[in-house]
Coordinates of all heavy atoms in Angstrom, one line a residue:
M436 N 0.8 -1.2 0.0 CA 0.0 0.0 0.0 C 0.9 1.3 0.0 O 1.9 1.3 0.7 CB -0.9 0.0 1.2 CG -1.7 1.3 1.4 SD -2.8 1.3 2.7 CE -1.9 0.8 4.1
G437 N 0.5 2.2 -0.8 CA 1.2 3.5 -0.9 C 0.2 4.7 -0.9 O -1.0 4.5 -0.8
Y438 N 0.8 5.8 -1.0 CA -0.1 7.0 -0.9 C 0.3 8.0 -2.1 O 1.4 8.1 -2.5 CB 0.1 7.8 0.4 CG -0.3 7.0 1.6 CD1 0.6 6.2 2.3 CD2 -1.6 7.0 2.0 CE1 0.2 5.4 3.3 CE2 -2.0 6.2 3.1 CZ -1.1 5.4 3.7 OH -1.5 4.7 4.8
C439 N -0.8 8.6 -2.7 CA -0.6 9.5 -3.7 C 0.1 10.8 -3.3 O -0.3 11.4 -2.2 CB -1.9 9.9 -4.3 SG -1.9 11.2 -5.6
P440 N 1.2 11.2 -3.9 CA 1.9 12.4 -3.5 C 1.2 13.7 -3.7 O 1.5 14.7 -3.2 CB 3.2 12.3 -4.2 CG 2.9 11.5 -5.5 CD 1.9 10.5 -5.0
E441 N 0.1 13.6 -4.6 CA -0.6 14.8 -4.9 C -1.8 15.0 -3.9 O -2.0 16.1 -3.4 CB -1.2 14.6 -6.3 CG -1.9 15.8 -6.9 CD -0.9 16.9 -7.3 OE1 0.3 16.6 -7.4 OE2 -1.3 18.1 -7.5
C442 N -2.6 14.0 -3.6 CA -3.7 14.2 -2.8 C -3.7 13.3 -1.5 O -4.6 13.4 -0.7 CB -5.0 13.8 -3.5 SG -5.3 12.1 -4.0
E443 N -2.7 12.5 -1.4 CA -2.5 11.6 -0.2 C -3.5 10.5 -0.1 O -3.7 9.9 1.0 CB -2.3 12.4 1.1 CG -1.2 13.4 1.0 CD -1.0 14.2 2.3 OE1 -1.7 13.8 3.3 OE2 -0.2 15.1 2.3
A444 N -4.2 10.1 -1.2 CA -5.1 9.1 -1.2 C -4.4 7.7 -1.0 O -3.2 7.6 -1.5 CB -5.9 9.1 -2.5
E445 N -5.0 6.8 -0.4 CA -4.4 5.4 -0.2 C -4.5 4.7 -1.5 O -5.6 4.6 -2.1 CB -5.1 4.8 0.9 CG -4.5 3.4 1.3 CD -5.2 2.9 2.6 OE1 -5.1 3.4 3.7 OE2 -5.9 1.8 2.4
I446 N -3.4 4.1 -1.9 CA -3.5 3.2 -3.1 C -3.0 1.8 -2.8 O -1.9 1.6 -2.4 CB -2.6 3.8 -4.2 CG1 -3.0 5.2 -4.6 CG2 -2.6 2.9 -5.5 CD1 -2.1 5.9 -5.5
D447 N -4.0 0.9 -2.8 CA -3.8 -0.4 -2.4 C -3.7 -1.4 -3.6 O -4.7 -2.0 -3.9 CB -4.9 -0.8 -1.4 CG -4.5 -2.1 -0.7 OD1 -3.3 -2.5 -0.6 OD2 -5.4 -2.8 -0.1
E448 N -2.6 -1.4 -4.3 CA -2.4 -2.2 -5.5 C -1.1 -2.9 -5.3 O -0.2 -2.5 -4.6 CB -2.4 -1.4 -6.7 CG -3.7 -0.8 -7.2 CD -3.6 0.0 -8.5 OE1 -2.9 -0.6 -9.4 OE2 -4.1 1.1 -8.6
E449 N -1.0 -4.0 -6.0 CA 0.3 -4.7 -6.1 C 1.1 -4.3 -7.3 O 0.5 -4.2 -8.4 CB 0.1 -6.3 -6.2 CG -0.7 -6.8 -5.0 CD 0.3 -7.2 -3.9 OE1 1.5 -7.5 -4.1 OE2 -0.2 -7.2 -2.7
F450 N 2.4 -4.0 -7.2 CA 3.2 -3.6 -8.3 C 4.4 -4.6 -8.4 O 4.9 -5.0 -7.4 CB 3.7 -2.2 -8.2 CG 2.5 -1.2 -8.1 CD1 2.0 -0.8 -6.9 CD2 1.9 -0.8 -9.3 CE1 0.9 0.1 -6.9 CE2 0.9 0.1 -9.3 CZ 0.4 0.6 -8.1
E451 N 4.8 -4.9 -9.7 CA 5.9 -5.8 -9.9 C 7.2 -5.1 -10.1 O 8.3 -5.7 -9.7 CB 5.6 -6.7 -11.0 CG 4.4 -7.6 -10.8 CD 4.2 -8.6 -12.0 OE1 5.0 -8.7 -12.8 OE2 3.1 -9.2 -12.0
D452 N 7.2 -3.9 -10.7 CA 8.5 -3.3 -11.0 C 8.4 -1.8 -10.7 O 7.4 -1.1 -10.8 CB 8.7 -3.4 -12.6 CG 8.9 -4.8 -13.0 OD1 9.7 -5.6 -12.3 OD2 8.3 -5.2 -14.0
V453 N 9.6 -1.3 -10.3 CA 9.8 0.2 -10.2 C 9.7 0.7 -11.6 O 10.2 0.1 -12.6 CB 11.2 0.5 -9.6 CG1 11.5 1.9 -9.8 CG2 11.3 0.0 -8.2
G454 N 9.0 1.8 -11.8 CA 8.7 2.4 -13.1 C 7.4 2.1 -13.6 O 6.9 2.7 -14.6
D455 N 6.6 1.2 -12.9 CA 5.2 0.9 -13.4 C 4.4 2.3 -13.2 O 4.7 3.1 -12.3 CB 4.6 -0.1 -12.5 CG 5.1 -1.5 -12.8 OD1 5.7 -1.7 -13.8 OD2 4.7 -2.4 -12.0
I456 N 3.4 2.4 -14.1 CA 2.6 3.6 -14.0 C 1.2 3.2 -13.6 O 0.7 2.2 -14.1 CB 2.6 4.3 -15.4 CG1 4.0 4.7 -15.9 CG2 1.7 5.6 -15.4 CD1 4.7 5.8 -15.1
T457 N 0.6 4.0 -12.8 CA -0.8 3.8 -12.4 C -1.5 5.1 -12.3 O -0.8 6.2 -12.3 CB -0.9 3.0 -11.0 OG1 -2.2 2.7 -10.8 CG2 -0.4 3.9 -9.9
T458 N -2.8 5.2 -12.1 CA -3.5 6.4 -11.9 C -4.1 6.4 -10.5 O -4.7 5.4 -10.1 CB -4.7 6.5 -13.0 OG1 -4.0 6.4 -14.3 CG2 -5.4 7.8 -12.9
C459 N -4.1 7.6 -9.9 CA -4.7 7.8 -8.6 C -6.2 7.6 -8.7 O -6.8 8.3 -9.5 CB -4.3 9.1 -8.0 SG -5.1 9.4 -6.4
P460 N -6.8 6.8 -7.9 CA -8.3 6.7 -8.0 C -9.0 7.9 -7.5 O -10.2 8.1 -7.8 CB -8.6 5.4 -7.1 CG -7.5 5.3 -6.2 CD -6.2 5.9 -6.9
E461 N -8.4 8.7 -6.7 CA -9.1 9.9 -6.1 C -8.9 11.1 -7.0 O -9.9 11.7 -7.4 CB -8.5 10.2 -4.7 CG -8.8 9.2 -3.7 CD -10.3 9.1 -3.4 OE1 -10.9 10.2 -3.3 OE2 -10.8 8.0 -3.2
C462 N -7.7 11.5 -7.4 CA -7.4 12.8 -8.1 C -7.2 12.6 -9.6 O -7.2 13.5 -10.3 CB -6.4 13.6 -7.4 SG -4.7 12.9 -7.5
G463 N -6.9 11.3 -10.0 CA -6.7 11.0 -11.4 C -5.3 11.3 -12.0 O -5.1 11.2 -13.2
V464 N -4.3 11.7 -11.2 CA -3.0 12.0 -11.7 C -2.3 10.6 -12.0 O -2.6 9.6 -11.4 CB -2.1 12.9 -10.8 CG1 -2.7 14.2 -10.6 CG2 -1.8 12.2 -9.5
D465 N -1.4 10.7 -13.0 CA -0.6 9.5 -13.3 C 0.6 9.4 -12.3 O 1.2 10.4 -12.1 CB -0.1 9.6 -14.8 CG -1.2 9.3 -15.8 OD1 -2.2 8.7 -15.4 OD2 -1.0 9.8 -16.9
L466 N 0.8 8.3 -11.8 CA 1.9 8.1 -10.8 C 2.8 7.0 -11.3 O 2.4 6.0 -11.9 CB 1.2 7.6 -9.5 CG 0.2 8.6 -8.9 CD1 -0.4 7.9 -7.7 CD2 0.9 9.9 -8.5
E467 N 4.1 7.2 -10.9 CA 5.2 6.2 -11.2 C 5.6 5.6 -10.0 O 5.8 6.3 -8.9 CB 6.3 6.9 -12.0 CG 7.4 6.0 -12.3 CD 8.6 6.7 -13.0 OE1 8.6 8.0 -13.0 OE2 9.5 6.0 -13.5
V468 N 5.7 4.3 -10.0 CA 6.2 3.6 -8.8 C 7.7 3.8 -8.7 O 8.5 3.5 -9.6 CB 5.9 2.1 -8.9 CG1 6.6 1.3 -7.7 CG2 4.5 1.8 -9.0
I469 N 8.2 4.4 -7.6 CA 9.6 4.7 -7.4 C 10.3 3.8 -6.4 O 11.5 3.7 -6.2 CB 9.9 6.2 -7.1 CG1 9.1 6.5 -5.7 CG2 9.5 7.1 -8.2 CD1 9.5 7.9 -5.2
S470 N 9.5 3.0 -5.6 CA 10.0 2.0 -4.7 C 8.9 1.0 -4.4 O 7.7 1.2 -4.4 CB 10.2 2.8 -3.3 OG 10.6 1.9 -2.3
L471 N 9.4 -0.3 -4.2 CA 8.5 -1.4 -4.0 C 8.4 -1.8 -2.5 O 7.3 -2.3 -2.1 CB 8.9 -2.6 -4.8 CG 8.8 -2.5 -6.3 CD1 9.4 -3.6 -7.1 CD2 7.4 -2.2 -6.8
D472 N 9.4 -1.5 -1.7 CA 9.3 -1.9 -0.3 C 9.9 -0.9 0.5 O 11.1 -0.8 0.8 CB 10.1 -3.3 -0.2 CG 9.9 -3.8 1.2 OD1 8.9 -3.5 1.9 OD2 10.8 -4.7 1.7
P473 N 9.1 0.1 1.0 CA 7.7 0.2 0.8 C 7.3 0.8 -0.5 O 8.1 1.4 -1.2 CB 7.3 1.2 2.0 CG 8.5 2.1 2.1 CD 9.7 1.1 1.8
V474 N 6.0 0.6 -0.9 CA 5.5 1.1 -2.2 C 5.5 2.7 -2.0 O 4.8 3.2 -1.1 CB 4.2 0.6 -2.5 CG1 3.6 1.2 -3.8 CG2 4.3 -0.9 -2.8
E475 N 6.2 3.4 -2.9 CA 6.1 4.8 -3.0 C 5.9 5.3 -4.4 O 6.3 4.6 -5.4 CB 7.4 5.4 -2.4 CG 7.7 5.1 -1.0 CD 9.0 5.7 -0.5 OE1 9.5 6.7 -1.1 OE2 9.5 5.2 0.5
F476 N 5.3 6.4 -4.5 CA 5.0 6.9 -5.9 C 5.5 8.4 -6.0 O 5.7 9.1 -5.0 CB 3.5 7.1 -6.0 CG 2.7 5.8 -5.9 CD1 2.1 5.4 -4.7 CD2 2.7 4.8 -6.9 CE1 1.4 4.2 -4.5 CE2 2.0 3.6 -6.8 CZ 1.4 3.3 -5.6
D477 N 5.7 8.7 -7.2 CA 6.0 10.1 -7.6 C 5.2 10.4 -8.8 O 4.7 9.5 -9.5 CB 7.5 10.2 -8.0 CG 8.0 11.7 -8.0 OD1 7.2 12.6 -7.7 OD2 9.2 11.9 -8.3
L478 N 5.0 11.7 -9.1 CA 4.2 12.0 -10.3 C 4.9 11.5 -11.5 O 6.1 11.6 -11.7 CB 4.0 13.6 -10.4 CG 3.3 14.2 -9.3 CD1 3.2 15.7 -9.5 CD2 1.9 13.7 -9.1
A479 N 4.1 10.9 -12.5 CA 4.7 10.3 -13.7 C 5.1 11.4 -14.6 O 4.5 12.4 -14.6 CB 3.7 9.4 -14.3
P480 N 6.2 11.2 -15.3 CA 6.6 12.2 -16.3 C 5.6 12.4 -17.4 O 4.9 11.4 -17.8 CB 7.9 11.6 -16.9 CG 8.0 10.2 -16.5 CD 7.1 10.0 -15.4
D481 N 5.5 13.6 -17.9 CA 4.5 13.9 -19.0 C 5.0 13.2 -20.2 O 6.2 13.0 -20.5 CB 4.5 15.4 -19.3 CG 3.8 16.2 -18.2 OD1 3.0 15.6 -17.4 OD2 4.1 17.4 -18.1
D482 N 4.0 12.8 -21.0 CA 4.3 12.1 -22.3 C 5.2 12.9 -23.2 O 6.0 12.4 -24.0 CB 3.1 11.6 -23.0 CG 2.4 10.4 -22.3 OD1 3.1 9.8 -21.5 OD2 1.2 10.3 -22.5
D483 N 5.0 14.3 -23.2 CA 5.6 15.1 -24.1 C 7.0 15.5 -23.7 O 7.8 16.2 -24.4 CB 4.8 16.4 -24.5 CG 4.5 17.2 -23.2 OD1 4.7 16.7 -22.1 OD2 4.0 18.4 -23.4
E484 N 7.4 15.1 -22.4 CA 8.8 15.4 -22.0 C 9.7 14.4 -22.6 O 9.4 13.2 -22.7 CB 8.9 15.3 -20.5 CG 8.2 16.4 -19.8 CD 8.4 16.2 -18.3 OE1 9.1 15.4 -17.8 OE2 7.8 17.1 -17.5
E485 N 10.9 14.9 -23.1 CA 11.9 13.9 -23.6 C 12.6 13.3 -22.5 O 13.1 13.9 -21.6 CB 12.8 14.7 -24.6 CG 12.1 15.2 -25.8 CD 13.1 15.7 -26.8 OE1 14.3 15.2 -26.8 OE2 12.7 16.6 -27.6
E486 N 12.8 11.9 -22.6 CA 13.4 11.2 -21.5 C 14.9 11.4 -21.3 O 15.4 11.3 -20.3 CB 13.1 9.7 -21.6 CG 11.6 9.4 -21.4 CD 11.3 7.9 -21.4 OE1 12.2 7.2 -21.2 OE2 10.1 7.6 -21.7
D487 N 15.5 11.8 -22.4 CA 17.0 11.9 -22.4 C 17.4 13.3 -21.9 O 18.6 13.6 -21.7 CB 17.6 11.6 -23.7 CG 17.2 12.6 -24.8 OD1 16.4 13.5 -24.5 OD2 17.6 12.4 -25.9
G488 N 16.4 14.2 -21.6 CA 16.7 15.5 -21.0 C 17.1 16.5 -22.0 O 17.3 17.7 -21.7
D489 N 17.3 16.2 -23.3 CA 17.6 17.2 -24.3 C 16.3 17.9 -24.7 O 15.3 17.4 -24.9 CB 18.1 16.5 -25.6 CG 19.5 15.9 -25.4 OD1 20.1 16.3 -24.4 OD2 19.9 15.0 -26.2
W490 N 16.5 19.3 -24.8 CA 15.3 20.1 -25.1 C 15.5 20.6 -26.5 O 16.5 21.1 -26.9 CB 15.3 21.3 -24.1 CG 14.1 22.2 -24.3 CD1 12.9 22.0 -23.9 CD2 14.2 23.4 -25.1 NE1 12.1 23.0 -24.4 CE2 12.9 23.9 -25.1 CE3 15.2 24.1 -25.7 CZ2 12.5 25.1 -25.7 CZ3 14.8 25.3 -26.3 CH2 13.5 25.8 -26.3
E491 N 14.4 20.5 -27.2 CA 14.4 21.1 -28.6 C 13.1 21.7 -28.8 O 12.0 21.2 -28.6 CB 14.6 20.0 -29.6 CG 14.5 20.4 -31.0 CD 14.6 19.3 -32.0 OE1 15.2 18.2 -31.6 OE2 14.2 19.4 -33.1
E492 N 13.1 23.0 -29.2 CA 11.9 23.7 -29.5 C 11.2 23.2 -30.8 O 11.9 23.1 -31.7 CB 12.2 25.2 -29.6 CG 11.0 26.1 -29.9 CD 10.0 26.2 -28.8 OE1 10.5 26.1 -27.6 OE2 8.8 26.3 -29.0
D493 N 9.9 22.9 -30.7 CA 9.2 22.5 -31.8 C 8.3 23.7 -32.3 O 7.9 24.5 -31.5 CB 8.3 21.3 -31.5 CG 9.1 20.1 -31.3 OD1 10.2 20.0 -31.8 OD2 8.6 19.2 -30.6
G494 N 8.0 23.7 -33.6 CA 7.0 24.7 -34.1 C 7.7 25.9 -34.7 O 7.8 25.9 -35.9
D495 N 8.1 26.9 -34.0 CA 8.5 28.1 -34.6 C 10.1 28.2 -34.9 O 10.6 29.1 -35.4 CB 8.1 29.3 -33.8 CG 8.7 29.3 -32.4 OD1 9.5 28.4 -32.0 OD2 8.4 30.2 -31.6
G496 N 10.8 27.1 -34.5 CA 12.2 27.0 -34.9 C 13.1 27.9 -34.2 O 14.2 28.3 -34.7
D497 N 12.8 28.4 -32.9 CA 13.7 29.2 -32.2 C 15.0 28.6 -31.9 O 16.1 29.2 -31.8 CB 13.1 29.7 -30.9 CG 12.0 30.7 -31.1 OD1 11.8 31.3 -32.3 OD2 11.2 31.0 -30.2
W498 N 15.0 27.3 -31.7 CA 16.3 26.6 -31.4 C 16.8 26.0 -32.6 O 16.2 25.2 -33.3 CB 16.0 25.6 -30.3 CG 17.3 24.9 -29.9 CD1 17.6 23.6 -30.2 CD2 18.3 25.4 -29.1 NE1 18.8 23.3 -29.6 CE2 19.3 24.4 -28.9 CE3 18.6 26.6 -28.4 CZ2 20.4 24.6 -28.2 CZ3 19.7 26.8 -27.7 CH2 20.6 25.8 -27.6
D499 N 18.1 26.3 -33.0 CA 18.7 25.7 -34.2 C 19.6 24.6 -33.7 O 20.7 24.8 -33.1 CB 19.5 26.8 -34.8 CG 20.1 26.4 -36.2 OD1 19.9 25.2 -36.5 OD2 20.6 27.2 -36.9
E500 N 19.2 23.3 -34.0 CA 20.0 22.2 -33.4 C 21.3 22.0 -34.1 O 22.2 21.5 -33.5 CB 19.1 20.9 -33.7 CG 19.7 19.7 -33.0 CD 18.8 18.5 -33.2 OE1 17.7 18.5 -32.6 OE2 19.2 17.6 -33.9
E501 N 21.5 22.4 -35.4 CA 22.7 22.3 -36.1 C 23.9 22.9 -35.4 O 24.9 22.4 -35.2 CB 22.6 22.7 -37.5 CG 21.9 21.7 -38.4 CD 21.8 22.2 -39.8 OE1 22.7 23.0 -40.2 OE2 20.9 21.8 -40.6
D502 N 23.7 24.2 -35.1 CA 24.9 24.9 -34.5 C 24.6 25.2 -33.0 O 25.4 26.0 -32.4 CB 25.2 26.2 -35.2 CG 24.0 27.2 -35.3 OD1 23.0 27.0 -34.6 OD2 24.2 28.2 -36.1
D503 N 23.6 24.6 -32.4 CA 23.3 24.9 -31.0 C 23.2 26.3 -30.6 O 23.9 26.7 -29.6 CB 24.2 24.1 -30.1 CG 24.1 22.6 -30.2 OD1 23.0 22.2 -30.6 OD2 25.0 21.9 -29.9
D504 N 22.5 27.1 -31.4 CA 22.5 28.6 -31.1 C 21.1 29.1 -31.4 O 20.3 28.5 -32.2 CB 23.5 29.3 -32.0 CG 23.8 30.7 -31.4 OD1 23.3 31.0 -30.4 OD2 24.5 31.4 -32.1
W505 N 20.7 30.1 -30.8 CA 19.4 30.7 -31.0 C 19.4 31.4 -32.4 O 20.4 32.0 -32.8 CB 19.0 31.7 -30.0 CG 18.7 31.1 -28.7 CD1 19.6 30.9 -27.6 CD2 17.5 30.5 -28.3 NE1 18.9 30.3 -26.6 CE2 17.6 30.0 -27.0 CE3 16.2 30.3 -28.9 CZ2 16.6 29.3 -26.3 CZ3 15.2 29.7 -28.2 CH2 15.4 29.2 -26.9
D506 N 18.3 31.4 -33.1 CA 18.2 32.2 -34.4 C 18.1 33.6 -34.0 O 17.1 34.1 -33.4 CB 16.9 31.7 -35.2 CG 17.0 30.3 -35.7 OD1 18.2 29.8 -35.8 OD2 16.0 29.7 -36.0
D507 N 19.0 34.4 -34.5 CA 19.1 35.8 -34.2 C 18.0 36.6 -34.9 O 17.5 37.7 -34.4 CB 20.4 36.5 -34.6 CG 21.5 36.0 -33.7 OD1 21.3 35.6 -32.5 OD2 22.7 35.9 -34.2
D508 N 17.4 36.2 -36.0 CA 16.4 37.0 -36.7 C 15.1 36.9 -36.0 O 14.2 37.6 -36.3 CB 16.2 36.5 -38.2 CG 16.6 35.1 -38.4 OD1 17.6 34.7 -37.9 OD2 15.9 34.5 -39.2
D509 N 14.9 36.1 -34.9 CA 13.7 36.1 -34.2 C 13.6 37.2 -33.1 O 12.6 37.4 -32.4 CB 13.5 34.8 -33.5 CG 13.2 33.7 -34.5 OD1 12.7 34.0 -35.6 OD2 13.4 32.5 -34.1
Y510 N 14.7 37.9 -32.9 CA 14.8 38.9 -31.8 C 15.3 40.3 -32.4 O 16.2 40.3 -33.3 CB 15.8 38.4 -30.8 CG 15.4 37.1 -30.2 CD1 16.0 35.9 -30.7 CD2 14.4 37.0 -29.3 CE1 15.5 34.7 -30.2 CE2 14.0 35.8 -28.8 CZ 14.6 34.6 -29.3 OH 14.2 33.4 -28.8
E511 N 14.7 41.3 -31.9 CA 15.1 42.7 -32.3 C 16.4 43.1 -31.6 O 16.7 42.7 -30.5 CB 14.0 43.7 -32.1 CG 12.8 43.4 -32.9 CD 11.7 44.4 -32.6 OE1 12.0 45.5 -32.1 OE2 10.5 44.1 -32.9
D512 N 17.1 44.0 -32.2 CA 18.3 44.5 -31.6 C 17.9 45.6 -30.6 O 17.3 46.6 -30.9 CB 19.2 45.2 -32.7 CG 20.6 45.6 -32.2 OD1 20.9 45.2 -31.0 OD2 21.3 46.3 -32.9
D513 N 18.3 45.3 -29.3 CA 18.0 46.2 -28.2 C 19.0 47.4 -28.1 O 18.9 48.2 -27.2 CB 18.0 45.5 -26.9 CG 16.8 44.5 -26.8 OD1 15.8 44.8 -27.5 OD2 16.9 43.5 -26.1
D514 N 20.0 47.4 -29.0 CA 21.1 48.5 -28.9 C 20.7 49.7 -29.7 O 21.6 50.6 -29.9 CB 22.4 47.9 -29.3 CG 22.9 46.8 -28.4 OD1 22.5 46.9 -27.2 OD2 23.6 45.9 -28.9
E515 N 19.5 49.8 -30.2 CA 19.1 51.0 -31.0 C 19.1 52.2 -30.1 O 18.7 52.2 -29.0 CB 17.8 50.8 -31.6 CG 17.8 49.7 -32.7 CD 16.4 49.5 -33.2 OE1 15.5 50.4 -33.2 OE2 16.1 48.4 -33.8
D516 N 19.5 53.4 -30.7 CA 19.5 54.7 -29.9 C 18.1 55.1 -29.8 O 17.3 55.1 -30.7 CB 20.3 55.7 -30.7 CG 21.8 55.4 -30.6 OD1 22.2 54.6 -29.7 OD2 22.5 55.8 -31.5
D517 N 17.7 55.7 -28.6 CA 16.4 56.2 -28.4 C 16.3 57.7 -28.3 O 15.6 58.3 -27.6 CB 15.8 55.6 -27.0 CG 15.6 54.1 -27.1 OD1 15.4 53.6 -28.2 OD2 15.8 53.4 -26.0
D518 N 17.1 58.4 -29.2 CA 17.2 59.8 -29.1 C 15.9 60.5 -29.5 O 15.2 60.5 -30.3 CB 18.3 60.3 -30.1 CG 19.7 59.9 -29.6 OD1 20.1 60.6 -28.6 OD2 20.2 58.9 -30.1

């Protein structure tokens, strides 16, 4: 038996492996088993998070993976004179 780290609801299920994913019956968050003896949970990682930790911007192309640098044309020059 373990407890939801989000709402502290009691979760009375059997788990075979660390890393198993379950859903809290009370609040509905996805939980990952982080320990089997005693059973402990943590919030499960989001599906859209990359597991290897590398971040890459999707959509507007702000991050240029080839040279690992920001695209300068997406930003205005702040050094303009305000006379």
